[in-house]
Amino acid sequence: MRGGFLFPRTESGRASLLPAPPWFYSGEMLTIEYEAAPGAVASLLPPPLAPVADRPDAVAAIWAEWQCCSASGGELLDPVRAQYKECLLVVRCRYQGRDWSRCVFIWVDSDASLVRGHFQGYPKKLGEIWMTRPALIGTAGPKLARGGTFGATVAAGSRRLMEARFTISGEAESPGFVNAHPMLHHRLMPRIEADGGDALHEIVSAASSDVELGPAYVGDATLGVFASPTEELETLAPARMLGGFWRRVGFTFRRGRTLATGAQG
């Protein structure tokens, strides 16, 4: 019997790109919320998903730096396997009578995170992600206090795609509303015949458990979006800024749930 959660599957399973869940995450998140042009979010929602009624074009640009491990915890003693950064654009959608959050674009700097995201339905691509870290000691970084200013960038294909700036004005009860729902994604794989059909087409949800949250900080934010021949970020360029948030977070992914199969769900 071949072992391993994902490819390549070998007799021992040691070469598998991913260990089996549960997966544990601890990290820092910078969230920039804004409104895009009318209809921008709707253009990215495949049927049967629909925009939400309230602020249908709200978007969250999120930078995150993670340390992630499986149940064995072995990755923590080999940090190259545990640490990565990502940047994602999250919108909201309506499906089966409730509101969901949905990642429409995302870049990561780790192959394990890339494939783990594909398993969960995230449309991950490789990129270069950087974000300012707060300084607990010394002055080589902002403090988590009023006036602390953070920067963040994402690039792919040798082109800068977005850059953000965030300045803390105080503490908040929550880090925004766009990314506040369970995630709703599509898992897709075209047929090997490349005839326009899909061998895998599912609508899935992914929820977190064992969530631990640090203090949330709120403040003013700016976001620049740049053109690229291999991206479509102009469709989600900011029309009106709403604000920014910073927070430490920890959670566990144990399993997702299949909500529908087939092109229309």
Side-chain angles (χ1 to χ4, degrees), residues 34 40-46 49 58-61 87-93 101-107 121-125 178-179 183-186 231-233 235-236:
Y34 65 92
V41 170
S43 70
L44 294 172
L45 299 178
L49 309 186
V59 183
C87 177
L88 57 158
L89 288 173
V90 175
V91 302
R92 296 177 300 156
C93 62
S101 298
R102 178 176 176 86
C103 176
V104 290
F105 298 118
I106 179 170
W107 300 266
Y122 287 85
K124 291 191 175 184
K125 302 169 73 172
V178 179
N179 194 38
M183 282 287 183
L184 183 82
H185 290 146
H186 279 73
E231 306 293 349
E232 301 180 39
L233 293 184
T235 62
L236 287 182

Side-chain angles (χ1 to χ4, degrees), residues 29-263:
M29 298 178 66
L30 171 64
T31 300
I32 310 296
E33 290 192 334
Y34 65 92
E35 288 184 333
V41 170
S43 70
L44 294 172
L45 299 178
L49 309 186
V52 298
D54 175 49
R55 288 183 169 177
D57 290 293
V59 183
I62 302 171
W63 277 261
E65 185 167 10
W66 296 112
Q67 186 156 278
C68 178
C69 69
S70 60
S72 73
E75 299 91 339
L76 302 180
L77 302 181
D78 190 13
V80 68
R81 297 160 52 200
Q83 297 174 4
Y84 69 96
K85 297 185 290 292
E86 62 186 0
C87 177
L88 57 158
L89 288 173
V90 175
V91 302
R92 296 177 300 156
C93 62
R94 188 78 174 171
Y95 177 67
Q96 291 186 342
R98 65 175 296 182
D99 292 342
W100 304 81
S101 298
R102 178 176 176 86
C103 176
V104 290
F105 298 118
I106 179 170
W107 300 266
V108 297
D109 60 6
S110 157
D111 61 349
S113 173
L114 179 85
V115 176
R116 185 166 52 227
H118 292 175
F119 166 75
Q120 296 170 312
Y122 287 85
K124 291 191 175 184
K125 302 169 73 172
L126 288 176
E128 296 180 7
I129 300 94
W130 297 98
M131 53 191 294
T132 305
R133 295 169 178 163
L136 301 179
I137 298 175
T139 58
K143 295 294 192 293
L144 293 175
R146 184 180 180 86
T149 299
F150 297 71
T153 64
V154 57
S158 298
R159 289 174 171 84
R160 180 165 290 192
L161 303 178
M162 293 192 297
E163 61 184 22
R165 185 169 292 182
F166 165 67
T167 301
I168 296 175
S169 60
E171 293 194 16
E173 292 185 3
S174 67
F177 66 96
V178 179
N179 194 38
H181 309 286
M183 282 287 183
L184 183 82
H185 290 146
H186 279 73
R187 297 205 321 155
L188 303 170
M189 179 58 67
R191 283 166 43 88
I192 193 63
E193 290 80 6
D195 55 7
D198 289 328
L200 173 67
H201 194 125
E202 298 175 338
I203 299 177
V204 300
S205 68
S208 303
S209 60
D210 309 321
V211 177
E212 296 183 44
L213 301 173
Y217 300 89
V218 65
D220 298 325
T222 62
L223 179 69
V225 175
F226 308 106
S228 166
T230 57
E231 306 293 349
E232 301 180 39
L233 293 184
E234 299 95 325
T235 62
L236 287 182
R240 185 170 74 94
M241 299 302 300
L242 298 176
F245 305 88
W246 191 98
R247 185 176 233 178
R248 288 192 174 99
V249 60
F251 65 91
T252 303
F253 174 84
R254 299 186 182 279
R255 64 185 64 85
R257 184 163 62 98
T258 302
L259 302 180
T261 59

